[in-house]
Each structure stands twice: as structure tokens, then as C-alpha cells.
Amino acid sequence: NCAYVGSPTSLSMKKKSVQENDHLVVCFGELLIDFVPTASGVSLAEAPGFKKAPGGAPANVAVGIARLGGSSAFIGKVGADEFGYMLADILKQNNVDNSGMRFDTHARTALAFVTLKADGEREFMFFRNPSADMLLTEAELDKNLIQKARIFHYGSISLIAEPCRSAHLAAMETAKNAGCILSYDPNLRLPLWPSAEAAREGILSIWDQADIIKASTIDINYYVLIPVSEDEITFLTNGEDAYDDNVVMTKLFHSNLKLLLVTEGGDGCRYYTKNFHGRVNGVKVTAVDTTGAGDAFVGGLLNSMASDPDIYMDEKILRDALLFANGCGAITVTEKGAIPALPTKEAVLKILDGATAN
């Protein structure tokens, strides 16, 4: 099995052998502390206390892959503070290679206070002015680690500010030149961007370089405070119908893309390749906390793809892999917190027993 970068017709195909990268998935981006109220249904101001939890989508994906028995590493920056060291230890305890982490002596580890109020609206307060993750430089990148990867996974938050943006672009270039599959989860968080226009432009600025993209039709107003209620697809296409296959293919699919995924929460996901498209039903569970469900889904898919990079070429194999990924997301919402709820392979297979991708 080989991982290719660029068009299938390219004469300069890059490939990596199984022996060379050992199925490694390297995740790049933010790692932070989420503070969640100890009481439910209250505003941040009303909360009697807070419980700390590790956060950051790329780190969640790395842990998700390791929890499934895969090989993963994380590259990012935290503060040289108690929270930063704690996060590094949590990754290590969860069998994630943290050798690519860097510690900043001048900036603190990012913090996010988040609550789900009684009316169902989420309230966020971020402390990153700037935080350590925004200050990662190209010189601090472990490029040797990136070059060992079969898949290089990243989000968009690391594109918001310099010098991290330049480090992100350099990491992508290193991965692409090494023949890695590039996996992109936009993971829209509008309050962190200067404006909605800056977010749309920044997210789309690297869109055409990815081999795999996961976007969501989940109402992003559930996650972030914005004046209008939109999902990622509608936001990125300037108001187009997120459920129209033609919109997705014409506005978001690009010539180098191998696989475009649109997640729909408990309803499952849609998939688009050059040759076919369809949808896979979700796995029905009682949701307790949706935090990390999308990251669990991505981890489930990338773990499968690390073993078989060509699964996007066979619809049946792809559908089975997506059903497994849906199972990962389903299990994650049944417990509070992202990392503690990420499932093992055995747990996913158990919940999928008797389920089908139809």
C-alpha cells in the first residue's frame, strides 16, 4: 500500500513503504486546558467551581488513534508551566509520542472556559494573548518526526496567528515532500479569529492541498457564539445548502482531494470521492457530552487509513471504515470529557456488533 501526494496522473508520485513509517499518524496543532463548571446548566459567571480537562482537537485525535491500538505522535507547543507539563504527561500516559512538543518559557499554556447553559447555548472564554501554542516556530518543528509519518493531520486554529501559521505551512510542506497523506479538519472556532471573513479565508487558504478533509453539518452555534446559526459547510460556501451533494462537490471538492467527509453527528456521515459518494448511518446512543466526538471519528478513520491508505478507492471497504469511525464518535458522546471517553477498538467492535453501514 502506498500513500500518494498530488494528482494520480502525476509523474512524480511520492510513496512510502509500510516499513518506513510504521503506520504513524502525526497530529499538529493546539493542546490546551478546558475548564468545565462542576455544576451543569449554568453560565461561567454562575459556576461554583471548575474541573480541568485536556483539550485541543489535534491532540484528541492523536490519543484516539493510540487508544485504538494505532501509532500516533503530537507536535505542538505549551507553556513551560504546570499545565503544559501535565498535558505532555497525559499524552505519554496515553501512548502518544510527545517528543515533538515544545515548551515556551515566556507564554502560558492556553486555557478555555466552556459551559453549556440551561438554554442549550455554549459559552466560551479563551485565554490566549498570546498562548504558547500560537508561538511555535518553524525552527522548533521536529521535521524528522513528520517525515516518518504515513499521515499528517492538522486543523485550522494553528493558522490564525504568526509565527504558528508559518510553522504550520512549513510542517505541511515537509509532510507533502515526504509523501505523507495530508488530513485536514477545519474545526471552525470563530471567536478565535479576527473576523468571520478572516476565518473563511484562512481555512480555505490551504484547502486545495489536503488529501482528506472532514467538515461538519453540526450547527456551529452549538460550539461557538456567533450571531447567525450556520454549519461549517454553509459557512465555507457563503450560505449554500450543506445537504446538497452538488454544492459539496462543486464548491468544496478539489482535483487533488481523495476523500471529503461531511459528518452529521448522530445521523452519521457522507463521503465523496472522485468516483462515488454516499452516506453511512450513525450509531444510536444516548448522548451525555458531545465534546470530542468529531475527533474520535477522525481518529477512527485515520487509524484505519494508516493500515490501508487506499481505502478511499474501494467503496465497501470505505463504508466499513466509516461505520467504525461513526462507532468511535458514538461511544465518545456517552461519557463526559473528550480524552477519557475515547474508545478502544474492542469497545467499538462491541457497539457495532450487528450494525451495518447501510
Side-chain angles (χ1 to χ4, degrees), residues 35 37 42-47 50 113-115 117 123-125:
F35 282 90
V42 299
S43 69
L44 292 177
E46 295 166 338
F50 294 89
F113 288 79
V114 57
T115 187
K117 296 194 291 186
E123 185 180 12
F124 277 83
M125 189 183 296

Side-chain angles (χ1 to χ4, degrees), residues 24-258:
L24 176 65
V25 180
V26 172
C27 300
F28 173 92
E30 70 280 1
L31 177 56
L32 63 148
I33 301 286
D34 284 331
F35 282 90
V36 184
T38 52
S40 58
V42 299
S43 69
L44 292 177
E46 295 166 338
F50 294 89
K51 181 180 179 181
K52 65 182 185 297
N60 290 342
V61 172
V63 173
I65 290 166
R67 191 74 54 82
L68 293 168
S71 175
S72 65
F74 175 78
I75 291 179
K77 199 173 193 183
V78 293
D81 51 43
E82 289 301 310
F83 286 147
Y85 297 130
M86 182 191 86
L87 290 170
D89 286 342
I90 287 172
L91 291 186
K92 187 174 182 180
Q93 290 163 13
N94 282 279
N95 298 315
V96 175
D97 181 344
N98 66 2
S99 62
M101 285 184 67
R102 299 295 178 259
F103 299 84
D104 198 299
T105 56
H106 302 292
R108 296 295 192 187
T109 300
L111 307 180
F113 288 79
V114 57
T115 187
L116 183 62
K117 296 194 291 186
D119 60 4
E121 187 175 6
R122 282 206 180 212
E123 185 180 12
F124 277 83
M125 189 183 296
F126 295 98
F127 287 79
R128 40 194 328 263
N129 296 305
S131 52
D133 60 295
M134 302 165 69
L135 302 177
L136 182 71
T137 65
E138 180 180 353
E140 292 173 310
L141 289 175
D142 187 340
K143 293 187 177 181
N144 288 331
L145 180 59
I146 296 172
Q147 289 166 347
K148 293 176 184 176
R150 168 159 281 186
I151 300 172
F152 182 68
H153 175 72
Y154 48 89
S156 67
I157 291 174
S158 43
L159 295 170
I160 296 174
E162 292 291 358
C164 189
R165 175 180 167 82
S166 291
H168 182 140
L169 297 177
M172 283 177 57
E173 183 178 15
T174 298
K176 187 172 184 177
N177 290 339
C180 302
I181 295 172
L182 300 188
S183 167
Y184 185 24
D185 180 356
N187 200 33
L188 180 62
R189 294 290 182 268
L190 274 179
L192 299 181
W193 291 85
S195 67
E197 293 73 23
R200 188 179 293 109
E201 182 180 340
I203 288 170
L204 293 176
S205 68
I206 60 169
W207 196 266
D208 62 355
Q209 296 184 53
D211 297 296
I212 309 164
I213 296 175
K214 189 225 85 173
S216 175
T217 60
I218 302 301
D219 180 357
I220 58 174
N221 198 42
Y222 182 71
Y223 298 100
V224 295
L225 300 178
I226 55 175
V228 292
S229 176
E230 288 185 316
D231 57 75
E232 287 180 352
I233 304 293
T234 304
F235 177 79
L236 293 173
T237 58
N238 273 308
E240 299 278 0
D241 182 0
Y243 294 92
D244 186 330
D245 289 338
N246 189 53
V247 166
V248 174
M249 286 300 290
T250 57
K251 296 292 183 73
L252 296 178
F253 204 89
H254 62 77
S255 59
N256 292 328
L257 196 57
K258 294 176 173 66

Side-chain angles (χ1 to χ4, degrees), residues 282-317:
V283 179
K284 300 303 179 185
V285 293
T286 300
V288 174
D289 180 8
T290 59
T291 306
D295 303 327
F297 173 92
V298 173
L301 177 68
L302 296 186
N303 187 56
S304 297
M305 191 165 265
S307 299
D308 181 5
D310 297 327
I311 60 173
Y312 68 93
M313 299 175 70
D314 184 310
E315 190 166 11
K316 184 184 184 306
I317 295 175

